[in-house]
Amino acid sequence: MSDKLFSPARAGDLELANRIVMAPLTRNRADDDTGEVGDLQAEYYAQRAGAGLIITEATQISAEGKGYVGTPGIHTPEQVAAWKKVTDAVHAKGGRIVVQLWHVGRISHVSLQPGGQAPVGPSAIGAETPTFTRNGFETTSVPRALETDEMPRIVADYVHAAECAREAGFDGIELHAANGYLLDQFLKDGPNRRADAYGGPVENRARLLFEVLDGLAGVWAPGRIGIRLSPDSGFNTAEDSDPRATFGYVVERLNAYGLAYLHLIEGQTGGDRNGVFEALRDLWTGTYMANNGYDSDLAAARVDSGRVDLVAFGRPYIANPDLVERLRRNAPLNEGDGDTYYGGGAEGYTDYPALDAA
Ligand code: PHB
């Protein structure tokens, strides 16, 4: 194994100290009423500043974009001020942090929506999957299909969140277009049954994604925008009948943007690494970030081979704030406690020991 995994890398305009990325991890500890993070999140992310790059937990771009209890937002002045504490704390430790911009689409519940309304989606088809509400797990509500003339408003919500992200001092943004949330719902022909310019052939299903990206590129240099896709994954019951064709089209168009990176969930989210991701990787000409069940051996081998530029680690980052140092020293990893992954306070969040304290 060479040391390449631990060597500096460039992702668009971002200079990273190493190739290990903290993947976005939903932890549900934001204020549920205001969507604000606080000192606890500042401490948590600062503890993990040794990562070459931190991608925040998925963060809703609007009240409508929320689908779980206790997730943070990036669309009010108070949320911006709260995130500023996080970015300052990470920067003080020499880290880099981007915020993941998220609209859940149909993966929501009326109890989490403004005015108790139905969530929105490409089509009025329920996801039939549980989400976490104030009453525990409940099946997602059947969405209403967005009207064609609402699309500019959706794009504007993303643009507003991107402006908020700049004000909050982030180093960039990641557009969440994976895992069966709004943009993935539009891309995949299972959830998207529209008959207008946003449904049908892939050129139409990808229209919202590229309108959003064009909007974001008016706020941030493209070299500070990353994107996350999950072509092979049926996570949140979003399936496509031809992932190679759908996502081949998307990746080839993305090449023209000069983005910071493509963050690909390889195979099934949290499951097998199989499917079309290798073929898509061949199409991609920019910085490639791999994600899904990587351990240090696989990460080092894939980086050494040149197939992968950056590796995003998810679950290991929950229990190992100093993951880079542990991998570098080949030190044992702390085990995470699944009971404290979602919700709660400092326990199971900021109390995992670093090596020197262990
Ligand atoms: C979740 O909250 O369970 C979640 C959020 C974002 C993802 C995947 C899962 O991309």
Side-chain angles (χ1 to χ4, degrees):
M1 190 198 294
S2 82
D3 286 337
K4 193 172 171 195
L5 183 60
F6 305 101
S7 69
R10 175 171 261 285
D13 298 348
L14 302 171
E15 304 272 3
L16 311 182
N18 59 67
R19 294 162 185 274
I20 294 169
V21 175
M22 179 181 172
L25 292 163
T26 291
R27 304 303 306 275
N28 310 79
R29 283 161 167 87
D31 185 298
D32 188 50
D33 294 319
T34 65
E36 290 166 36
V37 293
D39 293 339
L40 186 62
Q41 285 84 359
E43 183 183 357
Y44 164 77
Y45 283 112
Q47 286 174 342
R48 288 155 179 78
L53 181 67
I54 294 170
I55 305 167
T56 70
E57 62 208 280
T59 299
Q60 59 261 5
I61 60 160
S62 60
E64 173 195 88
K66 178 175 174 172
Y68 301 83
V69 75
T71 56
I74 180 102
H75 54 90
T76 73
E78 294 78 17
Q79 291 165 358
V80 169
W83 277 118
K84 185 78 171 56
K85 290 191 193 175
V86 173
T87 61
D88 284 346
V90 169
H91 291 151
K93 293 266 203 87
R96 297 267 185 283
I97 182 166
V98 299
V99 60
Q100 194 192 47
L101 300 185
W102 190 35
H103 188 308
V104 297
R106 67 177 184 167
I107 306 300
S108 189
H109 187 268
V110 289
S111 67
L112 296 164
Q113 287 291 305
Q117 294 182 14
V120 300
S123 302
I125 304 168
E128 304 285 347
T129 192
T131 188
F132 199 69
T133 73
R134 294 175 192 105
N135 298 317
F137 284 103
E138 292 187 87
T139 302
T140 50
S141 305
V142 176
R144 76 173 174 85
L146 283 161
E147 303 289 344
T148 309
D149 67 7
E150 283 182 277
M151 297 308 172
R153 196 262 302 162
I154 297 283
V155 173
D157 286 346
Y158 276 98
V159 170
H160 172 67
E163 290 165 348
C164 289
R166 212 173 46 188
E167 246 179 276
F170 284 102
D171 296 293
I173 54 178
E174 175 173 293
L175 181 60
H176 194 353
N179 285 343
Y181 297 109
L182 183 71
L183 296 173
D184 196 36
Q185 289 160 28
F186 270 83
L187 288 174
K188 290 178 174 163
D189 61 9
N192 184 345
R193 307 290 176 82
R194 300 176 72 89
D196 67 356
Y198 294 85
V202 61
E203 296 78 11
N204 284 358
R205 284 181 279 125
R207 188 176 308 279
L208 180 60
L209 174 72
F210 287 103
E211 287 180 352
V212 168
L213 208 48
D214 289 339
L216 300 182
V219 179
W220 286 88
R224 291 181 178 272
I225 303 173
I227 186 167
R228 189 181 216 209
L229 301 173
S230 58
D232 295 305
S233 185
F235 193 79
N236 277 325
T237 68
E239 301 272 3
D240 192 73
S241 62
D242 191 351
R244 174 68 182 77
T246 297
F247 287 89
Y249 171 85
V250 170
V251 169
E252 293 208 86
R253 273 189 73 183
L254 287 174
N255 277 329
Y257 281 79
L259 298 177
Y261 60 82
L262 170 62
H263 180 181
L264 212 65
I265 298 172
E266 299 179 337
Q268 296 295 325
T269 306
D272 287 345
R273 292 176 58 257
N274 57 21
V276 303
F277 72 88
E278 291 282 20
L280 297 173
R281 197 272 165 268
D282 288 335
L283 293 177
W284 174 245
T285 57
T287 298
Y288 178 78
M289 184 190 296
N291 176 243
N292 211 14
Y294 272 72
D295 62 15
S296 61
D297 286 345
L298 183 60
R302 297 269 292 167
V303 167
D304 282 348
S305 77
R307 285 298 282 174
V308 165
D309 300 303
L310 308 170
V311 181
F313 288 86
R315 266 164 291 178
Y317 253 116
I318 292 177
N320 297 278
D322 55 346
L323 185 66
V324 172
E325 205 43 42
R326 283 175 191 263
L327 297 184
R328 200 197 310 267
R329 292 198 222 167
N330 215 5
L333 300 186
N334 298 321
E335 277 299 317
D337 167 18
D339 290 344
T340 51
Y341 281 0
Y342 307 110
E347 192 196 341
Y349 191 58
T350 50
D351 59 357
Y352 287 107
L355 270 180
D356 296 330

